[in-house]
Amino acid sequence: VPSVVGSSTFWASLANTLITWLISVAIVVVLGAALGVLIGSSKILGSATRFVIEFFRPIPSVAILPLILLLLGPTEETKILLAVYAGFWPMLIQTFYGIRSTDPVLLDTARAFNLSRWGIARRVVLPSALPYVATGLRLASALTLVLTVTVEIIIGVQGLGREIFIAQNAAAIPQVYLLIVVAGLLGLVVNELFRVLEAKVLSWHQSQRREGR
């Protein structure tokens, strides 16, 4: 077991999984948050895209894996695409509801003070939506990590999941357990990292003040 952790293959695989995860999260944040703001800010777009969102959102990423494999093959792009697909929906939905949850009274008050559209967005809408966006980011980061490792196991591309698959096929049970523990610890660190980040960014919000009591 110590030889596994000390090997360059293990660290290269772990780095590959983390890099894929970081790229996937970055894409999810850009696409999910941007589209969530766009759709949430327009009732017309919200109504027009509702069917599409409700149709695709329940489809598991693994269910579309055969189609993606036919199009892209067992590549890094396949892994990123499926991870992005998994994390995109909670980011989009949470941002959408965050924009829609803005108190109408606050919006009317801001307009009464003749704030510009940008001023209303910056001072009213964004602070109201941030807790939702933070929750979406935390959920998306966990899902992208899960899918990254899962796809590595299924299609055999480089990463921590592939090492688990190889160890399993070699009947190296201690190595399998060790790698599973590493994957679990990785998920724990990611969740804690985003929880701390959320607490710092939203320290002014009442939800964080309640948790701190």
Side-chain angles (χ1 to χ4, degrees), residues 80-136:
I80 291 173
L81 183 58
L82 288 168
V84 168
Y85 180 86
F88 172 77
W89 300 110
M91 192 75 221
L92 172 70
I93 298 300
Q94 287 293 321
T95 304
F96 170 82
Y97 281 116
I99 298 297
R100 287 291 178 90
S101 71
T102 306
D103 191 341
V105 175
L106 292 178
L107 291 174
D108 291 338
T109 304
R111 294 188 189 102
F113 280 95
N114 293 321
L115 285 179
S116 64
R117 274 192 158 189
W118 167 243
I120 293 174
R122 184 168 62 89
R123 294 176 180 272
V124 180
V125 178
L126 182 59
S128 175
L130 267 178
Y132 291 85
V133 175
T135 299

